[in-house]
Amino acid sequence: MQSDNEKMLQEIVQNTEMGKNTLDEMMGLTRDQRLKNEMMRQKNEYRRLNQQAHTALAALGAQAEGQSAAAKMGVSMGIRSRTMLDKSTRNLATMLAEGSGQGVLNCKRAEKDYPTASPGAQQLNRELCDMQTHAEQTWREFV
């Protein structure tokens, strides 16, 4: 059975993979260089946090369980359907703000669901939550 520590780290891995994969997919949809630059900056932050979670899981002797193929496909289909007719900066930024908001909610849930996670896992979760809170505000500036 997984400990709260391992469960929280798995949540962080999935949350950061969702962010990275979403930004990868959406980067090719815009010609707005300022938006692309911000996407790349945030993708690098997701990558950094993802690597830290992977390292912590490995230290526990656990294997990271990333996003399932079905989850990746669902995100991809959602992005395609919502951008088919509108690839404007405003629409993309709105979608990204919504995604960041969902990421914040996922962090808050993990905080409540895994109260006995290690201080390191809790700190990493807070860092991810803070990053996504800031990201949501940043995306709103593009709307």
Side-chain angles (χ1 to χ4, degrees):
M1 184 167 174
Q2 289 181 326
S3 66
D4 276 5
N5 196 35
E6 187 176 339
K7 289 176 187 174
M8 180 174 278
L9 291 167
Q10 294 290 3
E11 290 285 337
I12 294 167
V13 165
Q14 290 178 7
N15 194 329
T16 54
E17 282 188 12
M18 174 73 81
K20 284 189 322 178
N21 294 341
T22 298
L23 289 168
D24 268 342
E25 184 135 357
M26 292 183 78
M27 241 182 269
L29 299 175
T30 184
R31 290 192 178 99
D32 184 324
Q33 193 57 49
R34 202 171 66 96
L35 184 67
K36 263 187 194 177
N37 291 346
E38 183 59 27
M39 287 178 175
M40 184 57 75
R41 189 191 69 70
Q42 289 188 27
K43 182 179 160 192
N44 289 335
E45 278 297 298
Y46 279 120
R47 183 179 293 126
R48 181 182 66 77
L49 294 168
N50 181 272
Q51 288 171 343
Q52 288 181 358
H54 272 265
T55 300
L57 281 165
L60 295 173
Q63 187 77 17
E65 300 165 12
Q67 261 190 307
S68 69
K72 286 180 191 174
M73 183 178 283
V75 169
S76 183
M77 297 295 283
I79 290 171
R80 286 187 188 142
S81 69
R82 288 188 62 185
T83 59
M84 194 178 311
L85 301 174
D86 184 0
K87 291 179 180 61
S88 68
T89 296
R90 172 177 276 174
N91 188 45
L92 297 177
T94 298
M95 291 169 60
L96 289 165
E98 290 168 0
S100 294
Q102 184 60 52
V104 170
L105 289 174
N106 291 343
C107 288
K108 297 291 186 185
R109 278 192 207 112
E111 196 176 292
K112 285 187 175 32
D113 290 348
Y114 311 119
T116 64
S118 72
Q122 290 180 21
Q123 175 58 36
L124 191 58
N125 190 60
R126 275 192 301 278
E127 195 174 332
L128 176 58
C129 188
D130 291 346
M131 177 256 187
Q132 290 179 315
T133 298
H134 179 72
E136 185 177 7
Q137 294 165 353
T138 300
W139 296 131
R140 289 181 189 281
E141 293 172 14
F142 286 92
V143 176

